[in-house]
Amino acid sequence: MSARYKISNRNIYGFRTNMYQMMFLLIPLLIALSLLAEFVLGPVLYGFYQKDATLEEGAAGTQAGADVQVAESIADMERLDTFTIITKGAVVNYDTVRSGDQLYHRLHLPSGELVIAHINKKAIQETEEAGVYRLPIGVWRAWEPPAEVLVYEEFLAAPDHYVDMYGEYVPVLSQADYGMALGRLASVWLFIIAIALYRVIGVRRWRFAPAVFWRRDPLLPKNDTELWCASTFAIWAHSFSMLEGWPLVTGVHGSRKMVANFRRTSLGEQWDIHDRRSGLQTVHELTEKHAGRNDTPYPGWDLCRATQLLGMMYLVRMIDRDELDREFVRAGRVLQQRFGSWDEMAESYLEGYQAWLERTGHQNAAQYAAGRRNVFLRLKADPDGPYSVPWRTGLTDIPGGGERGELKRVLFRYRDPRL
């Protein structure tokens, strides 16, 4: 296989881990914060917004006061730094030329000259004479006219110039519209931030895998030792649909449901493990009965369950990573002393599993045992699966340290065969 490592993607984005509960809390919170932004922050920030969006007094595009001189010809506009023009409403409303998003006007000056003007219509003022308007402050600017304006070139007195009565004007929202826009923007950003925090916190709390930076999954092995030890309970980790499988050192991510299930049922009810002390005592009993001996029955079943229990204890935080590594190595060395290969270990595990099913009176014991054997055979056939890790891997209990060659290969190539 050439695809990179990927675990079960059933919850890789975290949307099946308390997502509905989060949305139930998040939506009212977003509404409340949106209203807060609109009606409390909006009025406070509007003054700053309006100040930044408003043109300086006397700039092109602002209202022309009574002291601004009126230009009646191109000569006047060339002579004056700024000016205004008095014109009729028909010019403002109908004598227009559109070029892209810009709207220009054709102005007939009192001198009879025709020019093009770009006018901020928000700054046009009525005069005492009906239908006559005072235009905004303007400046006479050189330009390269757009093609739509060049249509009138032969009629224009100076096609290489236009009257700029728009300047750097930006439409200013009303306070109500500004507040509404601020509330909507706040809602969008708060939603994005909430989802990002939900993902980051969820990954750090082991609830689901990273969707992008997958190598940063805290439940992935950190070295070849942890990878090897996770391989010892790979059959179990792939035997239940609720588990996500190898090479996670816990077999699954720690959603609230899985943690509760492990703590209450798997550890508590099935093993009578309720804390670190009772958990380690059980693990030590499983390993010590086979350490240094070759005549005990079903050692693979006991020893693989010992490493499996350690993974579960780590997931429910009964032990930390350092203790997990130490106990992994302790049990792993007994496995390596007792068996010479993954095949030998797996056969002992499967025989012990079937014997346990029969001893506890499970119906269809043979069928269940055959199911786990099929899991083993499927994993064994994978050239980059758990049993591709060398059996004689050196086990070291240095947390996070040690060799990582096999781990890098697996994370680059392995893909869960169930996908």
Side-chain angles (χ1 to χ4, degrees):
M1 296 184 182
S2 59
R4 69 165 173 81
Y5 160 76
K6 186 178 182 183
I7 62 162
S8 169
N9 61 2
R10 64 196 174 112
N11 194 35
I12 197 168
Y13 296 103
F15 294 134
R16 297 187 183 179
T17 302
N18 298 322
M19 191 63 180
Y20 294 117
Q21 296 92 318
M22 189 198 77
M23 295 302 294
F24 179 77
L25 297 174
L26 179 61
I27 290 176
L29 178 62
L30 288 177
I31 293 173
L33 292 175
S34 176
L35 294 174
L36 178 68
E38 180 175 350
F39 295 107
V40 177
L41 289 180
V44 174
L45 298 177
Y46 183 73
F48 298 100
Y49 158 76
Q50 190 177 36
K51 181 180 178 181
D52 291 340
T54 302
L55 294 173
E56 295 182 6
E57 185 177 355
T62 59
Q63 286 188 349
D67 58 333
V68 177
Q69 297 188 54
V70 178
E72 297 185 346
S73 65
I74 291 177
D76 290 343
M77 293 189 294
E78 290 177 337
R79 176 174 54 85
L80 299 170
D81 291 331
T82 59
F83 51 83
T84 185
I85 295 173
I86 307 297
T87 190
K88 295 181 179 180
V91 172
V92 173
N93 293 321
Y94 302 111
D95 290 353
T96 60
V97 179
R98 180 169 292 279
S99 176
D101 296 333
Q102 304 299 327
L103 186 67
Y104 298 95
H105 291 77
R106 300 189 301 273
L107 287 181
H108 285 274
L109 302 175
S111 63
E113 297 166 303
L114 178 66
V115 295
I116 293 293
H118 190 202
I119 302 171
N120 173 18
K121 298 182 71 173
K122 296 287 187 181
I124 294 176
Q125 303 170 77
E126 296 182 354
T127 64
E128 296 178 355
E129 185 178 352
V132 177
Y133 297 89
R134 177 185 293 268
L135 299 182
I137 292 177
V139 294
W140 185 238
R141 295 191 191 281
W143 73 335
E144 292 185 7
E148 293 84 352
V149 171
L150 285 175
V151 172
Y152 303 94
E153 182 177 14
E154 61 179 298
F155 305 105
L156 297 175
D160 58 344
H161 281 71
Y162 78 108
V163 182
D164 183 6
M165 291 182 167
Y166 199 91
E168 298 180 356
Y169 171 73
V170 176
V172 180
L173 298 173
S174 67
Q175 183 170 322
D177 289 341
Y178 175 78
M180 186 178 299
L182 184 65
R184 290 174 179 172
L185 182 63
S187 296
V188 171
W189 277 108
L190 287 170
F191 182 78
I192 293 172
I193 291 171
I195 292 297
L197 287 176
Y198 172 75
R199 280 217 46 77
V200 171
I201 293 172
V203 170
R204 290 187 176 182
R205 291 185 177 181
W206 310 347
R207 292 183 180 175
F208 39 79
V212 179
F213 301 108
W214 53 274
R215 288 181 184 270
R216 296 185 182 181
D217 190 332
L219 296 184
L220 284 175
K222 296 181 179 179
N223 50 43
D224 291 349
T225 295
E226 290 187 350
L227 181 70
W228 188 93
C229 291
S231 298
T232 63
F233 55 87
I235 297 175
W236 166 80
H238 283 263
S239 295
F240 300 94
S241 60
M242 64 181 179
L243 301 180
E244 294 167 83
W246 180 84
L248 296 177
V249 295
T250 53
V252 69
H253 285 92
S255 67
R256 292 179 186 272
K257 180 178 180 180
M258 289 307 307
V259 169
N261 183 286
F262 274 10
R263 184 180 291 277
R264 181 182 63 252
T265 305
S266 301
L267 294 172
E269 295 178 5
Q270 296 177 5
W271 286 93
D272 197 25
I273 294 174
H274 302 282
D275 52 29
R276 170 184 173 276
R277 183 194 61 78
S278 59
L280 293 181
Q281 180 179 344
T282 300
V283 169
H284 292 167
E285 289 174 355
L286 289 171
T287 55
E288 288 170 2
K289 65 190 285 189
H290 301 288
R293 301 183 60 182
N294 293 312
D295 57 348
T296 51
Y298 313 124
W301 172 240
D302 286 337
L303 294 171
C304 291
R305 287 191 298 167
T307 54
Q308 169 194 323
L309 286 175
L310 291 170
M312 288 193 286
M313 289 170 62
Y314 179 60
L315 189 71
V316 302
R317 301 179 189 272
M318 285 184 182
I319 57 176
D320 60 21
R321 194 70 170 237
D322 290 357
E323 193 152 41
L324 173 72
D325 284 356
R326 287 196 297 271
E327 295 297 331
F328 262 172
V329 169
R330 187 174 181 276
R333 287 174 176 168
V334 176
L335 275 163
Q336 288 184 335
Q337 173 266 321
R338 190 65 191 266
F339 301 106
S341 67
W342 290 114
D343 282 336
E344 289 183 19
M345 183 208 76
E347 286 300 326
S348 177
Y349 171 85
L350 293 170
E351 289 172 4
Y353 175 58
Q354 183 166 357
W356 174 80
L357 290 173
E358 295 170 350
R359 184 172 65 253
T360 54
H362 275 67
Q363 295 182 349
N364 302 318
Q367 181 178 348
Y368 280 116
R372 289 216 178 176
R373 180 171 293 277
N374 288 335
V375 171
F376 166 64
L377 294 175
R378 187 184 72 226
L379 294 175
K380 180 183 175 182
D382 189 336
D384 302 301
Y387 307 120
S388 68
V389 181
W391 174 256
R392 290 301 176 188
T393 295
L395 303 182
T396 172
D397 59 359
I398 302 174
E403 297 294 325
R404 301 183 74 249
E406 291 299 315
L407 178 64
K408 290 179 180 178
R409 174 185 62 82
V410 165
L411 295 186
F412 179 74
R413 301 185 64 179
Y414 174 73
R415 180 176 289 272
D416 189 331
R418 295 173 297 184
L419 297 181

